[in-house]
Amino acid sequence: MFIGGHISIGGGHANALEKIVTMGGNSLQIFSISPRGWEFAKIPDEAINTFVTKRQELEVKPIFFHASYLVNFADNDRIGQLSKQTLKHELRLAARMGVRGSIVHLGSFKEKTDSPNVLNLFPDKYKTLIENIGEVLNDTPEETMFIMENAGNRKLGKSMEEVFQIVKDVASPRMKVCLDTCHLHAAGYALTHHDTFEMFLDLFDKAIGINKLELWHMNDSKDPFCSFRDRHENLGEGMIGLETFTNIMNHKTMKNVPMIIETPGFDGLGPDKANIDILKGLMR
């Protein structure tokens, strides 16, 4: 099984590989550069070669980038252009480093509405969204994936209805989905009971195919169910409950789907061995 966490690239990208192995993980998520700015990662060839060699030596796979928090693919002006440029650069870098692809929060239409599906309410903005994603896919290496993450707030992808429609309309084998347990909880999807979890997976499979599920973000939640607040908590210390994580870890279709933690850490320093050990302990 592939279990890992989001690890800081402080000390270099290759250093993150050693950190996750020390924690007991075998999969990894990293930023290519700070997620709070528009700079492109400039990684020297020597550092890329070191990363690739160490990744192979330590047998860490798959590895994912998490895209900048600033991107908004529904924007038709400066932010939209920067979003496309950022993802194009990152996916080209991913191909060189053996990184599977980039996990992306798509952004928002910046319109206030409680509709479970805003996509059809703003057809021009939705057209921009699909076209911008398509441009990135058309101008980046075929072996890299554009991985949409579901939202735990009121941004695009807050409902599975929106997630399914976007994946269908992009219509690319490289368009994948990352499901975050905290975000699902925040958006009103209860996966605690075995039956409801089975129903959720069945809905996903019938809508776009379970093969579109690239990975899980395994995070507990500080906030109540259906709060549309997506603050992460350590596993077992939040309001989701370990039953949800147990269901995911032990489902027959999830054996080859990576499980990545983004928890605050029991020491407050980010994803840690303790959270990874909890995940491992849930496997039957």
Side-chain angles (χ1 to χ4, degrees):
M1 200 162 196
F2 303 107
I3 298 175
H6 183 101
I7 303 299
S8 168
I9 56 172
H13 294 75
N15 194 42
L17 294 164
E18 296 181 347
K19 287 180 182 177
I20 195 60
V21 170
T22 300
M23 292 179 188
N26 60 0
S27 186
L28 178 66
Q29 178 181 296
I30 54 176
F31 294 124
S32 65
I33 197 171
S34 170
R36 303 188 186 281
W38 288 114
E39 292 184 37
F40 295 168
K42 297 180 178 65
I43 307 175
D45 290 344
E46 183 179 353
I48 290 176
N49 293 336
T50 299
F51 183 90
V52 170
T53 299
K54 193 170 289 292
R55 172 180 60 81
Q56 294 168 341
E57 289 176 353
L58 297 176
E59 298 183 331
V60 176
K61 64 178 183 180
I63 301 170
F64 303 96
F65 283 141
H66 194 297
S68 168
Y69 294 133
L70 301 179
V71 301
N72 186 356
F73 282 88
D75 184 88
N76 201 27
D77 296 313
R78 175 177 174 272
I79 298 301
Q81 294 300 318
L82 286 170
S83 299
K84 288 185 290 185
Q85 292 169 18
T86 297
L87 257 293
K88 287 178 185 181
H89 178 82
E90 191 160 90
L91 290 178
R92 290 166 188 157
L93 187 61
R96 296 181 63 199
M97 296 176 68
V99 172
R100 175 74 171 160
S102 293
I103 299 162
V104 186
H105 296 288
L106 295 185
S108 73
F109 289 160
K110 298 184 178 179
E111 302 283 354
K112 293 184 178 180
T113 174
D114 289 326
S115 171
N117 188 345
V118 303
L119 306 182
N120 300 322
L121 299 180
F122 307 99
D124 290 342
K125 292 184 178 182
Y126 184 54
K127 183 173 181 285
T128 295
L129 173 74
I130 299 302
E131 288 178 346
N132 282 344
I133 296 173
E135 181 180 326
V136 170
L137 288 167
N138 288 334
D139 199 23
T140 49
E142 286 289 326
E143 66 268 33
T144 59
M145 303 297 129
F146 186 114
I147 308 165
M148 172 189 181
E149 182 174 349
N150 66 304
N153 45 37
R154 299 187 186 278
K155 294 187 177 181
L156 295 171
K158 66 183 180 298
S159 71
M160 296 314 297
E161 185 180 356
E162 289 182 353
V163 171
F164 298 154
Q165 184 173 337
I166 291 167
V167 170
K168 288 177 181 176
D169 289 343
V170 171
S172 168
R174 295 171 55 209
M175 183 73 176
K176 302 286 188 174
V177 175
C178 168
L179 291 177
D180 187 305
T181 53
C182 175
H183 300 176
L184 288 168
H185 171 85
Y189 292 93
L191 306 181
T192 302
H193 299 292
H194 177 76
D195 289 347
T196 54
F197 181 60
E198 289 285 355
M199 289 173 60
F200 177 85
L201 288 184
D202 186 59
L203 173 69
F204 192 104
D205 192 35
K206 288 179 178 176
I208 56 174
I210 203 69
N211 63 309
K212 284 291 186 182
L213 178 54
E214 183 68 24
L215 76 153
W216 285 89
H217 280 166
M218 301 287 266
N219 303 308
D220 214 324
S221 175
K222 292 181 183 291
D223 298 296
F225 182 71
C226 207
S227 63
F228 283 101
R229 301 185 70 192
D230 58 359
R231 297 183 302 161
H232 297 175
E233 182 56 282
N234 294 312
L235 302 180
E237 291 202 330
M239 305 190 75
I240 292 179
L242 290 178
E243 293 88 350
T244 291
F245 304 104
T246 300
N247 287 336
I248 297 170
M249 293 293 291
N250 293 284
H251 198 275
K252 60 184 179 181
T253 63
M254 298 294 110
K255 290 181 179 179
N256 294 315
V257 179
M259 311 287 172
I260 299 291
I261 59 169
E262 300 173 311
T263 50
F266 288 97
D267 57 4
L269 298 177
D272 52 14
K273 185 178 187 300
N275 275 282
I276 287 178
D277 286 345
I278 290 172
L279 269 190
K280 289 180 175 180
L282 298 177
M283 289 189 291
R284 299 193 184 104

